[in-house]
Amino acid sequence: MLRRQLGRKLEALRKAAGLTMEKAAEDLDRARATLYRIESGAENVRFRAADVKEMLKLYGASDEDTELVLAMAAATRENKNWWHDYIGSGLPRWFQLYIGLEAAASNIRQYQAELVPGLLQTRAYAEQLFLMPSGAIEAEDRDGQERAIQLRVERQALLTRFSAPQLSVIINEAVLRRPVGSTTIMAEQLQQILKAAELPNVTVQVLTFSAGLHAGAMSGAFSILEFPRDGNGREVEPPVAYLEAATGAIYLDKSHETAAYNAIWADMAGRALNPSRSKSLIQQVAEEYSRA
């Protein structure tokens, strides 16, 4: 998130100076693509002090902005997040941004049509998923699979940390009914969901088959992440809608894009069982697996 904030700050300074991205790139003797990656806060960009100072000079930044931007750039070089250990094995590069945003979010909403959300999965359930063909990790890469599973487990500490985010989940009834692995794995997995739903910051709703057609039927699975506000009540980071595919992901942060997913969420939340009735259904299905 810090990288994205820094990139947006540099973009704002460039625009305030009346420079297009093409002109700024030319004056800085950089490729336009490089400047785009800088302003996007890309993970592979190093905000070197000399380069940042050159940009600030070109943009005519004030002393106050210069001090702020240089401090932010220094922080990106010093900060090494826990998930960086997984880069290159078990953590696709396109997923790195999501992990960082998830860790910084104050509110996470997720809809899943087929699978239990990663933050609620048991290790045994996750192991079954990584046995399936995937665009991110080769089936023969056992070490990569194990590291990806461990990453998924470690991410779940997010829910019980100090100042944990609010997690709201809507799952299709198919998530409960479709066996993943053995009946024992499914029974344990559904009990794990119920356990998580007891946390004060976690809400789970089930969208039953009887709800009929709903807006999520056309959108597929997605997440909406919202971030803390500063002392003046302003967003420090715009909300992001995240859509994942086998070999990549889409991050949508324009207001009309996130508004569309908020509308889809509102439709599904209104059709889904309330949290209490959802827990009852999950418990019922868990008992069915236990008896099978």
Side-chain angles (χ1 to χ4, degrees):
M1 187 169 71
L2 177 61
R3 286 175 167 273
R4 287 163 58 86
Q5 291 174 337
L6 175 54
R8 276 201 306 278
K9 181 66 175 176
L10 288 169
E11 179 186 18
L13 289 171
R14 171 180 61 77
K15 290 180 176 178
L19 294 171
T20 64
M21 186 175 289
E22 290 77 8
K23 176 59 175 172
E26 179 183 346
D27 290 349
L28 293 166
D29 195 23
R30 296 292 186 87
R32 185 188 185 281
T34 299
L35 193 58
Y36 175 80
R37 289 196 298 273
I38 290 173
E39 294 186 358
S40 299
E43 181 72 22
N44 60 348
V45 171
R46 288 190 63 202
F47 290 97
R48 293 178 294 190
D51 296 337
V52 175
K53 287 178 181 177
E54 186 179 2
M55 296 173 72
L56 292 169
K57 182 179 179 181
L58 175 65
Y59 301 160
S62 67
D63 291 342
E64 181 180 358
D65 281 336
T66 297
E67 182 179 359
L68 172 62
V69 169
L70 289 176
M72 293 172 72
T76 66
R77 297 192 298 273
E78 295 165 2
N79 184 36
K80 181 176 183 291
N81 294 299
W82 65 268
W83 61 84
H84 284 199
D85 291 337
Y86 291 90
I87 293 174
S89 179
L91 179 59
R93 187 160 291 279
W94 49 261
F95 191 54
Q96 293 173 32
L97 175 57
Y98 179 79
I99 296 293
L101 294 175
E102 181 183 74
S106 58
N107 188 34
I108 303 170
R109 287 175 286 159
Q110 295 185 325
Y111 166 60
Q112 279 287 352
E114 295 288 339
L115 301 171
V116 172
L119 289 174
L120 302 180
Q121 290 175 10
T122 63
R123 171 178 279 275
Y125 186 96
E127 287 172 349
Q128 293 298 312
L129 300 184
F130 282 101
L131 292 175
M132 300 300 294
S134 167
I137 302 174
E138 297 295 333
E140 302 79 18
D141 185 3
R142 301 302 181 191
D143 181 64
Q145 290 176 359
E146 176 55 33
R147 289 172 65 82
I149 292 167
Q150 185 60 32
L151 168 66
R152 187 158 298 185
V153 171
E154 291 192 26
R155 281 171 57 204
Q156 295 174 2
L158 182 75
L159 299 179
T160 54
R161 74 179 187 191
F162 176 76
S163 190
Q166 179 68 41
L167 174 67
S168 300
V169 170
I170 298 176
I171 53 176
N172 195 303
E173 186 176 350
V175 174
L176 310 180
R177 302 290 184 182
R178 188 184 308 283
V180 173
S182 67
T183 55
T184 298
I185 288 174
M186 285 303 299
E188 291 176 348
Q189 175 58 81
L190 297 192
Q191 289 298 331
Q192 170 71 7
I193 295 174
L194 291 170
K195 181 180 177 182
E198 294 300 319
L199 294 171
N201 56 311
V202 177
T203 301
V204 178
Q205 291 181 264
V206 178
L207 192 59
T208 61
F209 297 139
S210 61
L213 183 63
H214 56 86
M218 277 74 79
S219 72
F222 63 90
S223 299
I224 302 172
L225 299 95
E226 296 169 321
F227 303 92
R229 295 177 179 269
D230 63 21
N232 296 316
R234 293 189 295 264
E235 296 175 333
V236 298
E237 179 81 3
V240 174
Y242 171 78
L243 292 71
E244 185 176 318
T247 57
I250 299 173
Y251 297 85
L252 306 172
D253 61 5
K254 294 182 174 61
S255 59
H256 71 275
E257 294 169 334
T258 53
Y261 280 91
N262 281 329
I264 294 170
W265 178 272
D267 177 80
M268 291 190 297
R271 297 174 187 272
L273 298 179
N274 64 34
S276 178
R277 294 180 63 194
S278 295
K279 290 179 185 178
S280 296
L281 177 58
I282 295 170
Q283 182 64 50
Q284 174 191 322
V285 179
E287 292 172 357
E288 291 173 5
Y289 280 119
S290 296
R291 292 193 298 267

